[in-house]
Amino acid sequence: MPTVLVLAEHADGALRPVTGELLTAARRVGTPAAVVVGAPGAAAALAGELAAAGAEKIFVAESPDADSYAVTPQVAALQAAVEAAGGAGEVAAVLLPNTVDGRDIAGRLAIRLDSGVIADAVDLDESVVATLSVFGGSYVVTSQVTQGIPVITVRAGAVTAEPVAGAGEQVPVQFTVDPATATTVTAVHTEPAGDRPDLAAAQTVVSGGRGVGSADKFSVVEQLADALGAAVGASRAAVDSGYYPHQFQVGQTGTTVSPQLYIALGISGAIQHRAGMQTSKSIVAVNKDPDAPIFEIADFGVVGDLFDVAPQLTQEVSSRKG
Amino acid sequence: MKPGMNIAVLVKQVPDTYAERRLKDDGTLDRDAGEAVIDEIDSRGVEVALQLAEQHGGEVTVVTMGPQRATEALRKALAMGADKAVHLVDDALAGSDAWQTSAALAAALRTVGFDLVITGNEASDGMTGTVPAMLAERLGLPQVTSARKVTVDGTTLSAEKLIDGGYAEVTAPLPALVSVSEKIADPRYPNFKGIMAAKKKPVQTLSAADLGLSNTGGANAASRVVSSAPKPPREAGQKITDDGTAGAKVAEFLATERLI
Ligand SMILES: Cc1cc2nc3c(=O)[nH]c(=O)nc-3n(C[C@H](O)[C@H](O)[C@H](O)COP(=O)(O)OP(=O)(O)OC[C@H]3O[C@@H](n4cnc5c(N)ncnc54)[C@H](O)[C@@H]3O)c2cc1C
Ligand SMILES: Cc1cc2nc3c(=O)[nH]c(=O)nc-3n(C[C@H](O)[C@H](O)[C@H](O)COP(=O)(O)OP(=O)(O)OC[C@H]3O[C@@H](n4cnc5c(N)ncnc54)[C@H](O)[C@@H]3O)c2cc1C
């Protein structure tokens, strides 16, 4: 069986859920092997979890450089892991998460391996044919790499993790970073995740638009979200008006969401917003304007003031929960 | 090259995102379906380049690969204030994938000369977001992608770049490649003087043969579309007007659908 390499995504000594999803996709094609890139000691903390998630092998690429530089350590480590796994004839694919870093690593690696790339796959079959959801889900496209070892980034949350424990055999690999092409990371600022679910993976999302009117009044959106156990999203107009932080933007240039339930409050439903949410299972919209385009795709639309409807709904949801 | 900082900015012409976008049966973009515009993210890249050139001196060159009418995107960037343009145009390049696009753009960039290359973080049509990193690898440059702030001091570039869940502060030596994110800057509107001046600015055209490119075009791509199918559009459901009980009615709907 050929090997499928999976870049393990980890932070603060913990695996990100997408790693399990990638290992599940890898098992369809061949023998899943994880590649851990990190400071010395990083792999020891993750090995148990990786084996449980399905890694038969764990390529351990540790170096003090791993956290000092952006992207190029992972590129060099994956290249070394491809070699260690037997090279082109033995490696059926390299899978990475479709994050900013994941796509950068994929791009550089593809040139080093002389390979084609597929970005943002939502599914992968046993013959390494990837499924893409294009233009906000308006098209379903399948595509295939025809040159070199396929390098594929996979959307988080798209593949359901089905852990089958693997042997987790650790294999050290060496790599070096060329300082001439290296970007130095001097500081990292991440927000603590908080109590709400991750936007991209949430089962329910409540989003507010320009109609919310101010940052303070976004509490109306948050209260409904919390009653439903939902993530909070925002339109680009709401973000650009300073009502809500950028990382919560939903749409063409923000996060793509596909929850069971999406509630849009004071959002007109511009085509670029719809591109990021129209594959949601159920859509509820509240808007003052009966002609707002969001109603064209809403399963349940309310023509009304969100400051009347949302608090009443919050109350109903809370009381039904008892 | 002029003294100061010479910046090459990549701009792509794309179907307007305000209109419905279509794929042809072979999975390639239907470029005749709607209006073609300079990608909004690339107009932000041009803005950042102009601001840096205003601070440090030097020249801004805009570069595109695309069909004949992509010159409109170049003219828009020239009207904003860019100094000159390079248009890589050749039917042999049609249907390129990201790997081939990066090969062609890297070859064009080598003829331009630069201290800094600026791109968008993700084109609104292909959306692979991999071309910037591929270019950096081909050109032997450090890459700073999804930047929301960029400054240059001597030969050091400093930036804030988006990462999952936040941002990182990074530095890289010039020459380097930067891809910009949406929140970095709003593009300036070309004024009448700019539009008139743009008509006289040089636009150099290059063919695949000029750059010595081989194995071009969809038939030689490193990745290929196997199938492509439109999804039926969503249909509207029920719509009510709030009479003071709409919140409760939404709750009923959610309960019926087993969503609460
Ligand atoms: C290249 C490009 C990319 C883009 N990417 C994105 C993206 O990722 N995400 C995104 O969202 N947009 C994106 N946009 C912007 C998009 O075109 C719209 O401008 C944006 O979605 C509008 O946000 P909105 O619906 O909140 O604001 P508006 O369009 O201003 O709508 C506000 C709505 O609120 C309603 N309203 C006002 N007060 C109330 C009230 N009290 N109760 C109920 N309803 C009320 C109004 O009737 C109106 O319909 C992009 C645009 C471009 C060109
Ligand atoms: C729906 C769809 C899906 C696709 N999926 C894949 C895929 O999985 N793998 C693959 O290899 N190809 C894919 N392609 C083809 C790919 O879009 C083209 O090769 C494209 O030329 C480059 O990729 P991009 O648009 O994704 O660019 P991105 O990497 O998203 O673009 C980032 C930036 O690079 C610059 N840039 C990109 N192209 C040009 C250009 N022609 N001229 C000037 N600057 C440019 C711009 O500054 C842009 O903002 C797909 C195309 C479509 C329409």
Side-chain angles (χ1 to χ4, degrees):
Chain A
M1 279 258 267
T3 300
V4 179
L5 294 176
V6 166
L7 179 66
E9 173 112 326
H10 60 97
D12 308 322
L15 272 190
R16 295 292 191 84
V18 68
T19 308
E21 297 162 16
L22 296 180
L23 287 166
T24 299
R27 185 171 286 282
R28 297 177 191 158
V29 178
T31 306
V35 181
V36 176
V37 188
L46 305 171
E49 246 187 299
L50 282 169
E56 295 292 349
K57 265 191 192 156
I58 302 171
F59 290 102
V60 178
E62 292 179 337
S63 155
D65 281 352
D67 294 333
S68 330
Y69 298 118
V71 175
T72 42
Q74 284 80 0
V75 175
L78 283 169
Q79 194 182 14
V82 166
E83 286 302 314
E90 295 297 321
V91 179
V94 180
L95 307 184
L96 307 94
N98 188 54
T99 55
V100 174
D101 276 358
R103 294 196 302 189
D104 285 354
I105 298 162
R108 288 197 96 119
L109 182 68
I111 300 306
R112 289 209 191 166
L113 299 177
D114 211 359
S115 292
V117 155
I118 292 173
D120 203 18
V122 296
D123 206 359
L124 188 70
D125 76 6
E126 63 287 352
S127 28
V128 206
V129 173
T131 304
L132 310 179
S133 174
V134 173
F135 297 151
S138 308
Y139 287 84
V140 177
V141 171
T142 59
S143 60
Q144 201 170 19
V145 167
T146 48
Q147 175 182 310
I149 301 169
V151 177
I152 301 174
T153 71
V154 181
R155 188 181 291 183
V159 173
T160 307
E162 289 156 6
V164 178
E169 179 203 342
Q170 297 189 32
V171 183
V173 291
Q174 308 293 323
F175 70 94
T176 53
V177 175
D178 174 5
T181 60
T183 299
T184 305
V185 179
T186 54
V188 170
H189 308 265
T190 46
E191 296 279 327
D195 292 338
R196 296 196 184 102
D198 177 46
L199 178 60
Q203 291 293 303
T204 308
V205 175
V206 182
S207 288
R210 200 195 320 256
V212 176
S214 73
D216 281 349
K217 288 194 269 184
F218 237 80
S219 59
V220 171
V221 181
E222 292 186 325
Q223 281 157 12
L224 177 55
D226 290 340
L228 289 162
V232 175
S235 72
R236 181 163 103 170
V239 169
D240 288 351
S241 308
Y243 303 169
Y244 219 64
H246 173 210
Q247 65 264 36
F248 298 101
Q249 180 171 319
V250 171
Q252 161 92 31
T253 46
T255 301
T256 299
V257 301
S258 197
Q260 293 297 112
L261 171 63
Y262 187 89
I263 302 185
L265 302 173
I267 292 176
S268 61
I271 195 161
Q272 299 95 344
H273 186 79
R274 287 154 58 161
M277 46 67 74
Q278 66 194 1
T279 61
S280 304
K281 215 44 175 295
S282 271
I283 297 174
V284 171
V286 182
N287 196 303
K288 278 204 293 210
D289 173 5
D291 298 322
I294 191 76
F295 290 127
E296 293 163 17
I297 59 163
D299 300 288
F300 196 95
V302 177
V303 181
D305 192 316
L306 74 93
F307 295 104
D308 297 331
V309 180
Q312 190 179 69
L313 175 57
T314 305
Q315 187 110 66
E316 281 287 329
V317 171
S318 305
S319 65
R320 276 169 196 251
K321 275 200 300 204
Chain B
M1 295 211 286
K2 276 220 266 187
M5 195 159 58
N6 291 291
I7 307 174
V9 189
L10 293 179
V11 302
K12 188 179 186 189
Q13 192 186 46
V14 297
D16 195 344
T17 59
Y18 283 103
E20 192 202 331
R21 293 174 292 167
R22 287 207 293 267
L23 292 180
K24 293 192 282 197
D25 290 342
D26 65 358
T28 61
L29 200 63
D30 185 351
R31 292 188 186 274
D32 301 323
E35 222 187 308
V37 297
I38 182 171
D39 206 345
E40 188 197 67
I41 194 66
D42 291 330
S43 63
R44 297 179 194 275
V46 173
E47 176 62 38
V48 171
L50 294 173
Q51 288 180 14
L52 287 171
E54 281 157 12
Q55 284 164 33
H56 301 278
E59 233 174 15
V60 175
T61 307
V62 286
V63 180
T64 198
M65 172 177 120
Q68 198 57 49
R69 72 170 175 177
T71 48
E72 295 156 21
L74 294 174
R75 290 286 169 205
K76 174 86 189 286
L78 293 171
M80 286 173 70
D83 298 290
K84 57 192 175 64
V86 174
H87 187 179
L88 179 48
V89 51
D90 197 323
D91 289 345
L93 298 168
S96 297
D97 68 353
W99 192 97
Q100 293 170 309
T101 300
S102 68
L105 290 172
L109 285 168
R110 285 195 195 96
T111 71
V112 172
F114 54 80
D115 302 299
L116 180 63
V117 177
I118 298 182
T119 75
N121 62 346
E122 175 182 293
S124 62
D125 55 357
M127 285 186 79
T128 71
T130 57
V131 169
M134 287 182 174
L135 279 172
E137 182 67 24
R138 288 184 186 279
L139 296 167
L141 303 173
Q143 88 294 323
V144 174
T145 53
S146 283
R148 65 172 204 183
K149 189 176 168 204
V150 176
T151 54
V152 172
D153 185 4
T155 57
T156 304
L157 180 132
S158 304
E160 292 178 6
K161 78 179 276 344
L162 301 181
I163 55 172
D164 242 22
Y167 71 97
E169 294 174 51
V170 297
T171 63
L174 292 182
L177 178 141
V178 166
S179 87
V180 300
S181 72
E182 181 182 82
K183 306 304 177 200
I184 195 165
D186 284 328
R188 65 192 66 184
Y189 286 105
N191 57 24
F192 180 70
K193 216 174 115 210
I195 294 166
M196 294 314 287
K199 295 190 170 147
K200 299 200 193 74
K201 289 180 179 171
V203 178
Q204 184 194 2
T205 57
L206 293 171
S207 69
D210 290 339
L211 294 171
L213 298 168
S214 52
N215 292 327
T216 58
N220 298 302
S223 64
R224 258 176 243 170
V225 170
V226 178
S227 72
S228 161
K231 280 252 267 232
R234 242 190 134 93
E235 279 172 29
Q238 51 184 318
K239 184 159 98 180
I240 63 167
T241 300
D242 185 23
D243 59 0
T245 64
K249 286 187 180 135
V250 175
E252 265 165 50
F253 168 79
L254 297 181
T256 320
E257 297 288 315
R258 301 187 178 280
L259 291 163
I260 50 172

